[in-house]
Amino acid sequence: MTTPHLHGPIAVIGAGTMGIGIAQVAAQAGHSVLLFDLNGEAVSQSLDNLRTRLHQRVEAGKAEASATETLLQRITQVNALHALAPCGLVIEAIVEQLEAKQDLFQQLESICSHQTLFASNTSSLSITAIARVLSTPQRMAGLHFFNPAPLMKLVEIVQGLETAPQTVATLKTLVTGWKKQPVICRSTPGFIVNRIARPFYAEALRALEERIATPATLDAVLKESGGFAMGPLQLMDLIGHDINYTVTESLFHAFHYDPRFLPSLLQKELVDADHLGRKRGRGFYAYDIKGNNSIRKNGGTKETQPQPKIEPKHAKAQKTASADQGDRKLGSIATLCCPATTA
């Protein structure tokens, strides 16, 4: 295999939250980006949402109109995998299913140049396993961004068993140029962040199952006493319970059913009910259309929930009960004390 050299546009496959975020990061760094999803309407919707968000920043005086339009013009929707043939790097951000990712990269290997690098944004699946179907697994690595990709600095560069050192070096140089903080790790279940984060979620879920306290109180304890900018239950609502549960389940299987990674039946029930958090308007908290916490009263009118907080010992019980109703605003994601919003 020749030394990897990044040439041509960057492709992003998957137009969900992570895919469009990664596309924005690459376009902001000056790259031409080709965005593909099997659901063409999903691409159009994601691009429309991105356009709206960026224009709101312009209106608020936080971005220049010309730079914003240039960024948007760098992202092009394509309707077939064959359109990705000229790309120098393909970043996959599709469903967390090993077979789906293997099938995708097998197709890409027959379409793209031998110099094209392949990267998966998987949160927990084995890069070694994804790459085993390739004739040149040396060009395959993990490139794990965190949500929201435009704001979070950390990127895990995951090295599979056969990933070439040159591939890792190229991706590290690229990500550094995008003003991100790369960290290189081996392809083990959960990599670094998602493995270490499991107890943070698991104990909060167990405490909730045992009715130790309400979601707002549990989150408040971690925020005010632990110094976190978001509590674990708020964070799971932000990530999406489908994603968070799937990652936990993946680690549970990968570590041979180690009880440390036992999935929560409470979270499984939320997934089954489609109460996935912010993106569905309901999880541990209720949300309005803009993603802010809200509760419904008197036939559907919305009232903002108060901020979860720990009351002083002398506070009245009535005031404490009011504080436990919920969270007014989750706060700026960019100010999280932990290095990244994990899955």
Side-chain angles (χ1 to χ4, degrees), residues 296-301:
R296 292 182 180 272
K297 297 182 68 176
N298 301 327
T301 58

Side-chain angles (χ1 to χ4, degrees), residues 233-246:
L233 304 173
Q234 294 173 315
L235 191 50
M236 283 183 273
D237 266 6
L238 171 65
I239 294 163
H241 291 285
D242 52 338
I243 296 172
N244 187 269
Y245 181 85
T246 298

Side-chain angles (χ1 to χ4, degrees), residues 82-280:
H82 285 281
L84 307 182
C87 293
L89 170 65
V90 179
I91 304 173
E92 164 272 313
I94 66 170
V95 63
E96 281 287 89
Q97 294 177 0
L98 177 61
E99 294 79 9
K101 295 178 187 293
Q102 289 175 327
D103 180 66
L104 173 62
F105 284 112
Q106 271 190 312
Q107 294 182 62
L108 289 168
E109 193 172 37
S110 66
I111 293 170
C112 299
S113 160
H114 291 296
Q115 290 186 319
T116 301
L117 300 185
F118 296 146
S120 174
N121 186 57
T122 180
S123 300
S124 60
L125 295 177
S126 167
I127 297 300
T128 300
I130 296 172
R132 75 183 178 202
V133 299
L134 301 178
S135 60
T136 53
Q138 298 87 351
R139 56 170 159 169
M140 177 81 209
L143 203 58
H144 183 212
F145 291 79
F146 293 85
N147 183 27
L151 295 180
M152 306 311 285
K153 294 293 186 183
L154 182 66
V155 177
E156 290 176 320
I157 299 176
V158 187
Q159 188 167 8
L161 184 63
E162 297 194 64
T163 304
Q166 299 96 325
T167 299
V168 173
T170 300
L171 292 176
K172 181 180 178 182
T173 299
L174 179 72
V175 168
T176 302
W178 291 357
K179 298 181 180 179
K180 299 295 185 183
Q181 178 59 60
V183 58
I184 298 170
C185 59
R186 289 177 54 239
S187 181
T188 56
F191 315 136
I192 298 174
V193 176
N194 275 321
R195 177 173 178 174
I196 294 174
R198 269 29 258 172
F200 181 66
Y201 303 128
E203 285 305 317
L205 288 165
R206 290 190 186 101
L208 197 59
E209 289 169 349
E210 295 170 13
R211 299 184 179 181
I212 293 175
T214 64
T217 299
L218 291 170
D219 282 334
V221 169
L222 269 295
K223 289 172 63 178
E224 297 190 22
S225 298
F228 291 89
M230 276 183 128
L233 304 173
Q234 294 173 315
L235 191 50
M236 283 183 273
D237 266 6
L238 171 65
I239 294 163
H241 291 285
D242 52 338
I243 296 172
N244 187 269
Y245 181 85
T246 298
V247 172
T248 301
E249 192 174 39
S250 173
L251 266 66
F252 183 56
H253 291 301
F255 281 106
H256 307 292
Y257 306 100
D258 187 327
R260 292 180 301 163
F261 304 107
L262 180 68
S264 165
L265 292 176
L266 175 61
Q267 189 175 39
K268 179 63 164 59
E269 190 173 35
L270 289 177
V271 173
D272 289 343
D274 201 39
H275 295 177
L276 305 183
R278 280 192 181 191
K279 60 186 174 184
R280 292 290 190 271

Side-chain angles (χ1 to χ4, degrees), residues 43 71 76-78 114-115 156 199 306 336:
V43 180
L71 186 158
T76 303
Q77 177 179 353
V78 297
H114 291 296
Q115 290 186 319
E156 290 176 320
L336 286 173

